[in-house]
Amino acid sequence: MKLDILNNQWLEIVFEGRNKKYGAYDLRKAVTKNTLRAFLIGAFVFAFAVSIPKILSFLPDSSDNDEALNVKITTVKLPPKEKPKENLPPPPPPPPKQDQVKFVKPVVAKAEDVVEEIVVIKEIKEKKIGAETIKGDPDAVLTVEPVGTGVAAVVEEDNTVYNQAGIEVKPDFPGGMEKFYKFISNNYRTPEEEGLKGKVYVTFVVEKDGSLTDIKVLRDIGYGTGKEAIRVLKATPKWNPGEQNGKKVRCTFSLPISIQSAE
């Protein structure tokens, strides 16, 4: 006899003469139905899991929704409207009409073909030339249109005192600095004080015309050495002034004068 395990016939053979009210009999009796039910549920879950990517492909992308939302809420700021200017001067009146004479281009033609009279040069000497003849208004008020802003441009003179180290052309003594030092040496009167020795430091401004102004003694060694330096500098011939950007400028100059009395 062939036994089909899918049929409950084998269960009756196994539990023949035994207590069928025992829980094992009910479990084995319902195993076929439970197995089929579990197979169907498993197949459904498996099919659903496999189809999830396909289902997600039909759903809208959240990034697209965010982008669309951003576009919708974007605002555009318009520039403020310009207020009409107030207290503007009235427009100038139109210029008065002037006598205008039509200019006829000279063309070589027969006398009988001439339809317009050629204007004599004497008649257009003080008149405007145009495309047609217009009679001016001799009683019109003569007006002159404004030109420019009405404010004259004033170029201020550069009186800045420059430092000799920062200008393009430094001031110089005529003939060179060696002649200047020689001039100081020949004209400076050293005080007759035994053992007098040291340096006198002076500064001055070389003006645009080459003269020396604002002569100051920064340090001297006494006995009138500073006053003597000022006296000699005031007697100095005019210098060649300094230049900046192609123009003569005022410039400071520092000078040390060595003093040594004769022994």
Side-chain angles (χ1 to χ4, degrees):
M1 178 178 178
K2 186 177 181 181
L3 183 63
D4 187 2
I5 63 173
L6 296 178
N7 198 340
N8 288 336
Q9 184 179 1
W10 67 273
L11 186 63
E12 297 296 334
I13 296 174
V14 172
F15 281 90
E16 184 178 359
R18 297 184 181 184
N19 186 9
K20 295 183 179 181
K21 293 182 180 181
Y22 183 63
Y25 176 79
D26 292 334
L27 288 175
R28 286 171 173 77
K29 186 177 182 180
V31 68
T32 302
K33 184 171 61 175
N34 292 338
T35 303
L36 181 60
R37 183 184 298 173
F39 174 78
L40 293 177
I41 294 175
F44 175 78
V45 172
F46 176 78
F48 177 76
V50 172
S51 60
I52 286 177
K54 190 67 176 179
I55 296 173
L56 293 177
S57 64
F58 291 105
L59 297 177
D61 192 1
S62 59
S63 61
D64 296 339
N65 295 335
D66 294 340
E67 184 177 356
L69 180 61
N70 293 335
V71 172
K72 290 180 181 179
I73 65 175
T74 300
T75 58
V76 178
K77 292 185 179 180
L78 298 177
K81 294 183 179 180
E82 294 185 359
K83 295 182 179 180
K85 296 183 179 179
E86 300 178 355
N87 301 326
L88 293 177
K97 292 184 179 180
Q98 299 180 0
D99 290 342
Q100 179 174 298
V101 178
K102 181 178 180 180
F103 176 76
V104 180
K105 185 177 180 180
V107 178
V108 179
K110 295 180 181 180
E112 58 270 18
D113 295 336
V114 177
V115 295
E116 290 183 299
E117 183 179 357
I118 302 299
V119 181
V120 182
I121 295 178
K122 184 177 180 181
E123 297 179 1
I124 64 175
K125 185 176 181 181
E126 297 179 355
K127 297 180 181 179
K128 186 179 179 182
I129 307 299
E132 57 181 345
T133 301
I134 300 175
K135 185 66 176 178
D137 184 6
D139 299 326
V141 179
L142 182 62
T143 59
V144 179
E145 294 184 2
V147 178
T149 60
V151 180
V154 179
V155 179
E156 296 183 359
E157 186 178 0
D158 185 8
N159 288 322
T160 305
V161 179
Y162 292 83
N163 190 306
Q164 64 169 338
I167 64 173
E168 297 173 353
V169 180
K170 296 178 175 55
D172 191 17
F173 188 78
M177 294 305 297
E178 291 185 3
K179 285 190 176 183
F180 173 67
Y181 295 139
K182 187 175 182 180
F183 175 86
I184 297 295
S185 177
N186 293 337
N187 292 274
Y188 190 90
R189 300 171 185 171
T190 304
E192 296 181 359
E193 185 68 25
E194 185 177 354
L196 185 63
K197 185 178 181 181
K199 288 185 178 181
V200 178
Y201 292 91
V202 295
T203 63
F204 50 86
V205 175
V206 181
E207 298 291 340
K208 297 178 183 179
D209 62 353
S211 60
L212 306 186
T213 61
D214 197 20
I215 303 172
K216 296 179 181 179
V217 178
L218 301 181
R219 191 180 71 183
D220 61 12
I221 56 177
Y223 303 100
T225 53
K227 291 183 179 180
E228 179 62 14
I230 294 175
R231 183 193 70 80
V232 175
L233 289 175
K234 287 183 177 180
T236 303
K238 288 188 175 183
W239 287 43
N240 298 320
E243 294 185 9
Q244 184 73 5
N245 297 326
K247 295 182 180 180
K248 296 179 180 180
V249 294
R250 304 173 69 202
C251 183
T252 58
F253 199 94
S254 302
L255 177 70
I257 302 175
S258 299
I259 306 295
Q260 186 174 359
S261 59
E263 297 181 355

